Amino acid sequence: MWNYIPHTREDKERMLEALGIKSVDELFEDIPKEVRMERNYDVPGPLAEDCLVRHMQELAGKNLHLGNCACFLGAGVYDHFVPSIVDAIISRGEFYTAYTPYQPEISQGTLQAIFEYQSMICELTGMYVTNASMYDGASSFAESAFMACSATKREKVLCSKAVNPEYRSVLRTYTRFRGVEVEEFGYKDGQVDLEDVKGKLNDKVAAIMIQSPNFFGVIEDLASIAELAHSKGAMLIVSADPISLALLEAPGKLGADIVTGEGQALGNPASFGGPHFGFLAATEKLLRKMPGRIVGQTVDTEGRRGFVLTLQAREQHIRREKATSNICTNQSLCALMGAVYMSAMGKEGLKEVAKLCYNKAHYAMDELAKRGFKRAFNAPFFKEFVLIAPKPVKEINEKLLKEGFIGGYDLSGQYPEIKNGWLIAVTERRTKEEIDRFVGIAGGEVR
Amino acid sequence: MNIPENLKYTKTHEWVRVEGNKAYVGITDFAQGHLGDIVYVELPEVGSLVEAGEALCSIESVKAASDVYSPVSGEIAEVNDALEGEPGLLNEDPYENWIATIEMNNPEEVEALLDAASYAKHCEEEEEAMG
Amino acid sequence: MKKPVELIFELSKSGRKAYSLPACDVPEAGEKIPEKFARKIDARLPEVFEVDVVRHFTRLSQLNYAVDLGFYPLGSCTMKYNPKINEAVSRLPGFLRLHPYQPEETVQGALKLMYDLEKMLCEITGMDRATLQPAAGAHGEMTGLMIIKAALEERGEGKRKKIIIPDSAHGTNPASASMVGFEVLEVKSDERGNVDVEDLKKLMSDEVAGIMLTNPNTLGLFEERITEIARIIHGAGGLLYYDGANLNANLGKARPGDMGFDVVHLNLHKTFSTPHGGGGPGSGPIAVTKELAPFLPVPTVEKEGERYYLDYDRPLSIGKVRSFYGNFSVMVKAYAYILTMGPEGLREVAECSVLNANYLLKKLRDYFELPFDRWCKHEFVISGNRQKKATGVTTLDMVKRLIDYGFHPPTVYFPLIVPEAMMVEPTETESVETLDAFAETMISIAKEAEENPDLVKESPKNTPVARLDEVTAAKRPVVKWDFEA
């Protein structure tokens, strides 16, 4: 007997009898003999629950986690505070053991929560519509390129080198097989190099793709880039940090046509890189080019407000090979975490988080600049910044790790042109004491 | 089911009305009935070229999306903008509410299309095949 | 009549808050955000206190149906029980709070888990290597097809731009194919519900990259001529892609690798008990033969002595399909599930899920049209055609009526080749008593359809909302809260 399988011996006998067969093997006789599995899988188990827990604790114990160290590493995943109510809500079986809300009469909980999520993301980004979530920031960025190509009937995009390398890597993979060309342009003082863009932009380009704050933490001049893109009939795609949007102007107000991003910062634990969620928001004109599920408001036969999955004719289960995307399962529960987080933090809380990040990051930058680190770019930044270290970053990070700190991202792999480049992220969770110690160790006070 | 005598038809359920060199194109009563409530019409672009048998535009109902195939070749001269705001017009009167007009570059193509009687027979056969 | 739950925005009152943050302990930054970049109008997020948030979302949760509440016979979705212990262990801080770029020496436990899970999935599928990166089934399909395309290009066979997909396939199959730039050729099903092998032979050519198959297929039927299909495809230089949506029926019984498949995707959120989360997150690992292993996304997890590491140095790799390494927490749950079940338990899963499906089919077969009359595997397809012809009650009407009786509807109107289709997958985690109750309900609904069609057409009645106006929702989409209203 197994805890998750209810069949007693009597049950099985009764069922076999009803089917008029002697053994369950008879139900598998249409499997050709040469492919039938005649042995047990060579996998471990079964483990009783207590033994499983012990085993899992042992494995988890081999990892250093963010509760046991102070993390100054960002580069796409951030150690933000997550209020306890987020996990309390998403741990309700009614949410996490539900299927996709295809039967609206018994899925209003998920549908309304996602409608609220969509409303909040539209507020932050200043856009007309957003979908119910994408896999992550990288895949939503890549899918947005296809939206722009479809809307402009062009097959090339320009992408900034200051976009997260993970996103650019995914963009390359997605576009390579679909036959969309990607050309990258450079950065100058950490920001989009407008001259380089001008040289590469023409009426074959569907979109200019950027990130703001970008991978270096630097805030981009969206309005100028939007103007440039639109002058050639191209779109502007912006990948944005949702926390930063509490303080930074909504990209929609500055001319962005599509705003995507990684939602992890909104109430999702780091989880070794996932699951998190990607968001994808766009102008009204692009409504029917959107990939994935969208929740819409309507009424029932008795006139009560209710919510449904809408504009489904865009999607794979109806349009099959002509669908806007193949996405089906998304990251719904992670988006719900985002909605609960945004509800909990609210209008003032999100601003407070953003201000704390901003002030602490600038404090850390100022202090490190006093200890032999040089600011790489003078452009304005939000919660992350690049320093030029006096020696290889690896050495500094190793020293920090010994003292219980996870140091910044070593840029030498992806950006060898920035010699000893060190990308530091400072969230609201870092205390002045931690920053001071971090600065001290990195600056050579502890040997 | 309404199948006006004065129109020509395709097996894919479009109708054509010819005025000089201009062809008015729409979908038939049979087509709108099977699609159900039409919620969106993605109109073609004026000035674009289309071949007979090619997709002219697509029509969406809640649970289906289907292409409208052009019965003739030519250049899209006009599109019925009213359908943008009120796609349900295609359900109300599919013959009054054309989708686009095409300036034909091969008017003889019309000859090959079905007349009302043959089209009615075709619809009957399809109904049967669908069970 | 139940009152709808307010939107969180309707609860908002200026001055309320549901968070506490420490005071700022550093001096305010001297450098200000330049005026032209600064936000002018605050984002109108709700202002509520903590009790509001908790009650709001708890009330919303109560409007949902869920596996924890009852039977969820959704065909091809494998809505089995989601073990609580998996949730608990996935939340151990040593798994939940890891940064993906932490130094490798600080995440050896996580890498070991991924390494071992890959090994287990390879053993279960009969393949050589796997990637855990894809975030969902469709994402896995896309990744698998990219691998096929890259491998063919590497072989100098880039002209193979078509892919064969059965007419019974899930919509993600053709949609994934076109994401990767393949043209779809549809192969017909034969009278036994299998791929029509004669039709397949006609379609196969040197322009075809391969075939995407689900086995058991979406009709719940095992492809009896699978080895012959594999010979035809391989013989003509193509590759076989296995859609793992229905792997539950094969656990411990038959492996895709042994059937001749070259690429296999798995849905950890179906077969391996991780929750669907109201639409995600899932996880869609891809397992491949050793010939295709060089094309897997980067990074792979490798082992050297006792040390685990991430390998990015794979020149033939298709690249990345998402950031980092995939939905790690979902992997933890699937790993825990496999360890809990062990080899005998996994076989028991397949046997009981197939026994359940056949038992339920037996009980229902006299009351509904049955398009294919054979032993089914873990699911079966019946049709509401008889009821529709008799009284105009559709499959949709009947399954909406099921809701009134406390059951979730089965998958409907799919596969497309069966009119008025109902696709029922009971899974192994349902008891004979539940199946009996469901069957009795279905039978009484069939009777209602005959005797009282309006009752069925107007269902459901006992739900938070009745049937919703989807036409207006699609014609005039309202996709966000109107703050101005």
Side-chain angles (χ1 to χ4, degrees), chain C residues 379-454:
Chain C
E379 68 186 7
F380 59 86
V381 175
I382 52 177
S383 163
N385 220 10
R386 187 185 302 168
Q387 287 73 18
K388 189 183 173 190
K389 278 185 186 158
T391 57
V393 170
T394 63
T395 280
L396 185 72
D397 297 327
M398 287 191 281
V399 305
K400 292 291 186 195
R401 182 69 178 141
L402 263 179
I403 295 173
D404 279 336
Y405 289 102
F407 293 107
H408 194 281
T411 300
V412 291
Y413 297 101
F414 180 77
L416 304 177
I417 55 170
V418 177
E420 300 293 313
M422 284 181 253
M423 185 194 219
V424 183
E425 178 180 3
T427 84
E428 74 284 1
T429 65
E430 298 298 336
S431 68
V432 67
E433 289 81 10
T434 300
L435 302 183
D436 285 341
F438 178 76
E440 277 159 31
T441 304
M442 286 290 285
I443 293 164
S444 77
I445 292 172
K447 208 168 284 168
E448 285 176 352
E450 215 169 282
E451 291 163 2
N452 195 354
D454 287 343

Side-chain angles (χ1 to χ4, degrees), chain B residues 17-47:
Chain B
R17 190 176 78 229
V18 177
E19 281 182 14
N21 199 45
K22 190 155 90 174
Y24 286 82
V25 177
I27 59 164
T28 64
D29 195 25
F30 181 96
Q32 72 80 19
H34 279 265
L35 274 166
D37 288 313
I38 292 167
V39 297
Y40 182 64
V41 182
E42 190 180 19
L43 292 166
E45 261 179 59
V46 172

Side-chain angles (χ1 to χ4, degrees), chain A residues 153 288-289 313 318-319 322, chain B residues 40 45 58 60 65 67:
Chain A
K153 301 197 168 70
R288 286 170 201 273
K289 302 283 181 199
I318 293 179
R319 227 181 211 142
K322 289 182 183 160
Chain B
Y40 182 64
E45 261 179 59
S58 71
E60 291 176 10
D67 285 332

